[in-house]
Amino acid sequence: MTGFVPELEQEVLGAILMGGNPHIVPGALRPESFVEPLHQEIFASIEKAYEIYSTANLSVVRSMFEKSRLDEIEKALGIPLSKYLARLASDAPVRGLGGIRKSIEAMNLQAARLQIGAEAARIAAAADDPGTNPQDLIRIFNATADSVTAGIRANRKTKSQFSFDEASNAALEAAQAARDSGAGLVGISTGLADLDRATGGFRPSELTILGGRPAMGKSAVGLGFALRAALADEDALYISLEMAAPSLAMRALTDLAYDEGLRIAYSDILNNRATDLDFESIWDVKTRYSKLPLYIEDASGLTLGDIRRKLENVNDRIGREGRSVKILIVDYLQLIAATGRYA
């Protein structure tokens, strides 16, 4: 297989066999993380042995294989499987946890690279057919890219379990940081004092769902959250699957104008009832807040993968200035399209 480096997988398997624990880096490995089918089977057998007997002893791992399959493998290898496993373990370099993490990440990236390459080759072959619909090819490739990206992110996740002491320390450190900042909030302000007191604001990595009946103003409230974050110099991305960016921007402008004591109704602008003075005031507000770190994306039919790419694109752009999106608002969840895996 072109571009495949089997030594990466052999090194990781050897380290696991030496250490006796398939989860040496929690959540980082799955059988499909390996490209070589035999290595997938070996890792699955290590997991099975560890689950049943709490050991990754070479003889126990070998015993997890069915006799008929064992004969096939040993015929293909030309040596007993026990000898191959022993060679993996003996050839594994003695490295600390940090070194193993790097090896696992390199192996996972190799698997992702080869998977993308294989899909690209299939798409290139399909594209040679004049009858192929290019939209189908794009959809298929995006679904593969979503799957690969999700796998990379899952493999990079290291720790999801915390002791009470660790979780308590993190909570108290966040609370102390809020006290030291003078804001008194652990997260980003919602712009509503009562809601901030009840929730502590929007905190990193948390999902907040705003619910309500149709036409109750959920979009306006969500935009207000993004706007208040941007006014606090926190980069905010508002992804609208329903409303156009100009309409959202005009709502934001009338909101900002209201903060300055200017009562200019959004509906008056839509219905051409605004006066010349109102328009002049709105233009002044727009000029003063032209550098506000609020980004609006309006596109329908986005999948979760599309939304992630939109977020990454914004982060790539503003990352050159040392900034990143601190709050993402999606309006609204029911309009998110299913990917190829779930459609």
Side-chain angles (χ1 to χ4, degrees):
M1 183 185 299
T2 304
F4 175 54
V5 182
E7 290 78 10
L8 284 174
E9 297 187 352
Q10 291 169 342
E11 179 180 323
V12 171
L13 284 174
I16 292 171
L17 290 168
M18 284 288 290
N21 183 354
H23 305 299
I24 189 169
V25 177
L29 283 175
R30 297 165 295 165
E32 56 267 30
S33 300
F34 297 85
V35 174
E36 168 59 48
L38 174 58
H39 294 164
Q40 292 179 358
E41 291 185 71
I42 291 174
F43 181 75
S45 296
I46 293 172
E47 283 194 309
K48 185 177 179 181
Y50 190 80
E51 180 182 351
I52 298 174
Y53 303 107
S54 300
T55 180
N57 178 277
L58 301 187
S59 60
V60 177
V61 171
R62 181 184 180 279
S63 70
M64 294 295 103
F65 287 84
E66 296 287 341
K67 179 66 170 61
S68 58
R69 179 57 184 149
L70 190 61
D71 291 341
E72 293 174 1
I73 291 172
E74 294 184 340
K75 182 178 180 181
L77 285 174
I79 59 173
L81 179 61
S82 57
K83 188 172 182 179
Y84 184 72
L85 295 176
R87 183 182 299 170
L88 290 176
S90 62
D91 290 348
V94 179
R95 307 176 67 178
L97 184 58
I100 296 301
R101 287 184 192 277
K102 290 180 180 178
S103 297
I104 290 175
E105 181 172 5
M107 191 192 79
N108 283 324
L109 290 176
Q110 171 177 257
R113 172 174 54 81
L114 293 174
Q115 187 177 348
I116 286 290
E119 189 62 68
R122 288 191 289 268
I123 287 176
D128 287 336
D129 183 350
T132 300
N133 186 335
Q135 290 183 325
D136 290 339
L137 298 183
I138 293 170
R139 178 180 53 78
I140 292 169
F141 186 79
N142 282 341
T144 301
D146 286 347
S147 177
V148 171
T149 302
I152 292 174
R153 290 179 182 276
N155 290 332
R156 283 179 173 171
K157 185 176 181 180
T158 55
K159 186 169 183 176
S160 60
Q161 187 178 92
F162 299 85
S163 68
F164 176 72
D165 181 58
E166 290 172 323
S168 299
N169 282 338
L172 289 172
E173 286 169 6
Q176 186 62 53
R179 287 172 61 88
D180 294 342
S181 70
L185 284 178
V186 175
I188 297 172
S189 174
T190 64
L192 301 172
D194 290 343
L195 189 56
D196 283 343
R197 279 193 292 271
T199 64
F202 297 114
R203 285 169 281 188
S205 76
E206 287 193 349
L207 171 67
T208 302
I209 298 178
L210 176 65
R213 296 191 300 275
M216 292 292 289
K218 298 184 297 296
S219 296
V221 172
L223 180 61
F225 290 154
L227 186 59
R228 299 305 144 187
L231 286 169
D233 201 33
E234 302 284 2
D235 293 78
L237 173 60
Y238 188 98
I239 295 181
S240 174
L241 306 179
E242 185 177 39
M243 292 185 65
S247 297
L248 292 166
M250 185 56 73
R251 282 193 172 189
L253 286 173
T254 56
D255 194 346
L256 292 168
Y258 184 85
D259 289 344
E260 297 187 1
L262 302 172
R263 294 179 175 274
I264 305 172
Y266 172 68
S267 59
D268 285 348
I269 296 176
L270 285 182
N271 297 315
N272 198 27
R273 292 197 299 264
T275 66
D276 291 341
L277 181 60
D278 289 339
F279 267 102
E280 184 179 338
S281 299
I282 286 292
W283 273 107
D284 288 342
V285 170
K286 182 265 177 190
T287 301
R288 284 194 294 277
Y289 292 98
S290 60
K291 301 298 183 182
L292 201 65
L294 172 61
Y295 314 97
I296 300 173
E297 174 82 36
D298 67 333
S300 60
L302 297 182
T303 65
L304 281 175
D306 295 330
I307 291 171
R308 183 178 60 246
R309 284 189 288 273
K310 300 290 186 185
L311 174 61
E312 290 173 345
N313 288 339
V314 174
N315 275 331
D316 286 343
R317 189 170 69 249
I318 66 178
R320 305 183 189 104
E321 304 169 7
R323 303 178 68 94
S324 63
V325 172
K326 294 298 190 296
I327 181 170
L328 167 67
I329 294 178
V330 179
D331 182 25
Y332 53 91
L333 296 183
Q334 290 96 322
L335 293 180
I336 296 176
T339 64
R341 289 181 291 167
Y342 306 112

